Structures are given as structure tokens and as C-alpha cells.
Amino acid sequence: MGLLIKNGTIVSSESQQRLDVLVEGETIARVAAGIAADEHTVVDAHGLLVMPGGIDVHTHLDMPCGGTPSADEYTTGTMAAAVGGTTTVIDFALQNQSGTLKEALGIWLGKSNGKACVDFSLHMAVTNLHGEAGQDTLREMDDMVAAGITSFKLFMAYPGVLMINDELMFRVMERAAKLNALCCIHAENGSAIDVVVAEMIAAGKTAPHFHALSRDPKAEAEATHRSIALADMAGAAVYIVHLSNEYALAELKHMQARGARALAETCTQYLVLSIEDQMPGKSWDEARYVFTPPLREKRHQDPLWAALNDGSLSVVSTDHCPFTTEQKALGKGDFRKIPNGGPGIENRLQLLWHFGVNAGRITPERFVELCCTAPARIFGMAQKGVIAPGKDADLLLWDPAADYTISAATQCMATDYSMFEGWRVKGNAKHVFSRGRQVVADGKFIGEAGHGRFVKREANAGGLL
Ligand SMILES: [Zn+2]
């Protein structure tokens, strides 16, 4: 006896087909037309689109920033993910500069232990190398890959905290190339940005929107080019996280055209929010839009949407890193002290569907590719991201006719505000299944903490082997 999803339209990254899906236990057993109901539990998906569960490859749950942890820990964060149609998240473990990768892994597995409502995995951020020529830490990268952590994050920003220099970056890239691991890059020239930041503070420019103005799109473009060039030299595959503007995009495309194994994501906020609309320079409320890279001018949005279609951008993630109004107030009078990040894990699919599919910018198939299939392929999760026999039964039943108004009052995310307050979107998650277990019914969370498991990932050089 299984779970039979009948009368729906399956959307894959390539096609739409009227097929039924039979789930047995945690996996998909059959995908075919007219599967007999027999003794199965039937879910009627008439009028609904059946997609692979969403995968958000860029989240920061329970992450310390500026002396305060992000507001969503693993339970509320993955609950919000599920309600938004996302059934797998990849979070970041951060190496303490004086510590080991193993210690970082232990800390982050501790944060998630027994708390996740949907499946999760981790990237490992390398912030320092220890031992002769960095060998101790480089050897630890092998252990991480063996443990299923096959992507390494490198920060080119935040000097003194997370930033690595080019030598360290290059050494990590060489090791990653040997391991077929993927290098994930926060591409901003942190040294130059910090000079601008200091100049602004000295000039009394302390309000939140100066955070955005202090981080020039060209600083992102420069670092995007540099990281891809170094990865290409090292023979490594590279994935640029949260690409936010058309200058960085031009560098990405240039290097892709030259054959570099370079992939990139953008995040929902860069597609639908802008510095003109959200940060006109008038109010403390702008602190809720302080994240890095910052919001850009509106003119950068169209090139990003075009890149989602032409394949130069492969994924849409959120960089979900929520802080409450009270936490954001730590930076009153000094934008450097505003905890960086915004809440978005719950709204990714709603926004990409409404402003992408409904607006005719992307097809439903491309939506599935960007939100589900490509994330699984690039990050080595062969059991996820497609609806086929043998795969995990992570399923999203999407109602394209649903009318939904985004509001902090009704969201699962732990913040007391929404970056999209009052926005009306058409299309929303109705039922969600995580490995065969229903976790969302009629838009309401019905899962439980502890159901989510750590996903061991394969090292496949971002699917570019
Ligand atoms: Zn991030």
C-alpha cells in the first residue's frame, strides 16, 4: 500500500505530462498514466502541478553574525522552507579561523541534530589554513568530502573575519580540483570595500542605505572574475553565490565563453527588490534590507532575469539569513553593526513563480530547473531534484491558481517583518511531501522536527565532470 498522487500534471525541467506518481515508503515507485487506485492512499492533484520538492542551496540557520544568531534555527527555518515548497536546504558550516574543519562540522551538526523538518546538507566555509603550507586543513578537505560535504565556501569579503587571501584561495582550489569538489565563492573585493566603508563612516554616513552604497557592483565584478580565473588555473569548478548585478554577470559570461567551469546563482531579492524602491535613504526601516551583496539599482534586474533563461545563471537561492527588528537595531547609528541578512526561505518559489512564470519571463520547466533539478545536480544529490522511480519522494503539489498575500503576520519565518509585506502573488505550495511523509497540507505545516536528515553529497565538480 502506497501513496498515489493522481490526476496532476508533472512538471520536469523538460516537459509537462499528465502522469500519476506512486510513492512507496520514502521513495518514488512508479510514474505512469492511469495507475489504479487499488488499496493506495490517493491524493487528488486535479488542477495542481506536481514538481520535485524545491532545493534552496544557500541558507544560514542559527548562524552567528555581529554577535547575534540568525533568527531562524533549524526547526523554524526548515518549517518555513517546507511551507514554501522547499524540501532540502544546504546550509553553511563556518570554520573558526583558529579552528579545524572538523570542529566546525561538529558545531553545525549539533545545531541541526534532531531539529530539521526537511532534509539538509552543509557547505564548509574554509576561513584559514593550518599546518605547513596549509596541509593540515587541506587534508581535512578530503575528510569533509568523505563525509558528504563536497562544496567549500570561500569569502573574498569581510577582512579579519571570514576573508581569505588569493594564496589561500588558490591552495583550496587546487585541492578541490583533485577531489572533484566545488568551490563556492562570495565574490566581493573586501579590501577595497572596507576602505570605502571607513571613508563613509568618517564622513558621518552611517544610515543603513550607506551599507548598499559602500559596496560597488564593480567590487563584485572584480572578485567574480578573479575567482573564476584562479579556479580555472587550478582546474577547479567554481560556483559564484548570490550574483547580484550585470557587471558581475558580464564577467561570469566572459569566463564561461572561454571554457571555465563556472556556475552561478542569483537570489530572489536581487530579482524583485531594488535600492530605489526599498532604500530611498530616508528611514531606519531600511535596515531590514541590509544584506550582502546589497540591493542594486533596478536596471540590474532585467539582465539577471535574462541570464536565468539563457543558462548563464543556473540556480535561484535565497541566502536566507533572518534577523528581527530588535537584532537589526544593533546597528542603529552605524551601518557596519547591522546584522547582515534577510528572511526569504519561505517566499522563494512564490516570488519566482509570480514574477517569473506568471510574468512570462521563464517557463514552468525552467522554474523547476532553477529551483529543484539544477541545485540537486550541481550539488551532487542524485536522489533528489527529479520525479522518477527510485528517487526520494520529495514532492511539491503546486496550485498555480492560489491567491496569496505575503505577510509577517502569517509567515513561519521567525522575523517580525517580511521584505515583501503585503505583496499579492498568484501560485503557491498546497501539499508538500518529504521522503514520502506529508509535511504540508493545504498550505499548513503538519510535519515534525527531527524528520529531516543530513544528505551526504557526491563530489561531482558541480555536475561538470
Ligand atoms: Zn550567504
Side-chain angles (χ1 to χ4, degrees):
M1 162 160 174
L3 173 79
L4 180 61
I5 296 169
K6 270 193 89 63
N7 309 318
T9 299
I10 295 186
V11 186
S12 73
S13 60
E14 274 141 26
S15 64
Q16 300 186 39
Q17 292 174 283
R18 294 292 297 268
L19 296 171
D20 300 338
V21 182
L22 179 62
V23 174
E24 280 173 0
E26 298 194 339
T27 55
I28 295 166
R30 268 184 84 195
V31 182
I35 299 177
D38 294 334
E39 74 277 28
H40 303 308
T41 304
V42 175
V43 175
D44 184 12
H46 180 79
L48 303 179
L49 303 176
V50 183
M51 310 185 208
I55 300 176
D56 191 339
V57 301
H58 191 155
T59 68
H60 298 282
L61 304 175
D62 201 358
M63 190 191 83
C65 176
T68 189
S70 56
D72 277 313
E73 35 68 82
Y74 269 76
T75 299
T76 60
T78 54
M79 189 187 299
V83 167
T86 290
T87 52
T88 308
V89 304
I90 310 184
D91 211 68
F92 289 86
L94 306 182
Q95 177 199 13
N96 186 308
Q97 283 188 325
S98 62
T100 64
L101 304 187
K102 193 176 167 202
E103 285 163 2
L105 178 59
I107 289 169
W108 255 267
L109 289 178
K111 288 173 190 280
S112 55
N113 188 23
K115 297 190 79 176
C117 305
V118 299
D119 289 351
F120 65 97
S121 189
L122 290 166
H123 310 280
M124 177 58 67
V126 180
T127 61
N128 203 358
L129 294 183
H130 301 292
E132 174 84 32
Q135 282 303 313
D136 294 356
T137 308
L138 294 171
R139 264 194 295 272
E140 279 201 280
M141 287 174 62
D142 304 23
D143 303 336
M144 292 298 121
V145 168
I149 293 167
T150 56
S151 43
F152 296 92
K153 172 87 172 276
L154 296 166
F155 287 89
M156 299 171 79
Y158 311 125
V161 189
L162 295 166
M163 190 173 105
I164 41 77
N165 62 25
D166 290 350
E167 179 202 334
L168 188 153
M169 179 157 67
F170 191 69
R171 286 189 192 279
V172 171
M173 285 170 164
E174 284 191 329
R175 192 69 165 211
K178 286 200 185 86
L179 293 166
N180 289 322
L182 186 60
C183 294
C184 298
I185 309 293
H186 177 129
E188 279 188 307
N189 188 316
S191 304
I193 286 170
D194 266 20
V195 172
V196 179
V197 166
E199 289 167 355
M200 285 188 164
I201 295 293
K205 298 174 174 174
T206 59
H209 65 279
F210 288 111
H211 165 86
L213 299 178
S214 71
R215 311 186 82 90
D216 196 299
K218 295 184 195 81
E220 184 183 342
E222 183 279 323
T224 299
H225 178 90
R226 177 160 39 109
S227 62
I228 299 173
L230 294 179
D232 202 30
M233 278 172 66
V238 70
Y239 178 93
I240 307 296
V241 301
H242 50 44
L243 190 144
S244 73
N245 73 82
E246 66 171 327
Y247 303 137
L249 181 62
E251 297 297 341
L252 170 73
K253 287 182 172 181
H254 171 73
M255 295 305 281
Q256 285 174 334
R258 289 183 162 201
R261 291 192 295 171
L263 302 166
E265 67 179 19
T266 190
C267 305
T268 335
Q269 53 271 28
Y270 305 115
L271 295 165
V272 299
L273 303 177
S274 69
I275 192 165
E276 297 96 323
D277 289 346
Q278 274 69 41
M279 304 190 81
K282 293 197 181 79
S283 150
W284 167 252
D285 288 345
E286 292 169 356
R288 64 184 56 179
Y289 300 103
V290 169
F291 39 74
T292 309
L295 284 182
R296 303 302 191 185
E297 293 168 343
K298 215 180 187 103
R299 67 190 168 84
H300 292 284
Q301 290 177 354
D302 279 344
L304 295 179
W305 280 108
L308 291 178
N309 256 332
D310 71 22
S312 39
L313 290 177
S314 303
V315 170
V316 177
S317 70
T318 61
D319 197 7
H320 176 76
C321 190
F323 296 98
T324 62
T325 305
E326 191 185 340
Q327 289 176 302
K328 289 278 185 185
L330 290 169
K332 260 196 167 152
D334 185 346
F335 70 77
R336 294 174 300 181
K337 296 186 179 138
I338 301 172
N340 269 224
I345 200 169
E346 193 167 339
N347 308 120
R348 178 178 67 127
L349 301 183
Q350 296 160 351
L351 293 166
L352 199 67
W353 186 269
H354 187 78
F355 293 99
V357 177
N358 291 348
R361 285 164 155 152
I362 57 172
T363 62
E365 290 86 347
R366 191 69 192 153
F367 173 89
V368 169
E369 168 72 7
L370 293 164
C371 298
C372 319
T373 306
R377 181 180 65 243
I378 291 169
F379 289 95
M381 297 186 285
Q383 71 276 40
K384 302 206 180 280
V386 289
I387 297 177
K391 304 291 183 185
D392 283 356
D394 290 351
L395 297 165
L396 164 59
L397 274 55
W398 184 261
D399 182 358
D403 239 312
Y404 183 73
T405 301
I406 298 173
S407 174
T410 50
Q411 73 188 8
C412 291
M413 296 184 291
T415 49
D416 54 342
Y417 70 89
S418 168
M419 298 196 292
F420 318 103
E421 184 66 38
W423 289 23
R424 218 173 136 186
V425 291
K426 193 170 169 205
N428 200 8
K430 186 172 174 71
H431 303 305
V432 181
F433 299 83
S434 164
R435 279 183 285 101
R437 157 95 194 253
Q438 187 160 10
V439 292
V440 174
D442 282 317
K444 297 279 176 291
F445 182 75
I446 59 165
E448 63 180 347
H451 167 77
R453 275 191 213 140
F454 176 75
V455 180
K456 276 183 82 166
R457 297 183 290 114
E458 295 154 30
N460 66 353
L464 299 172
L465 270 182

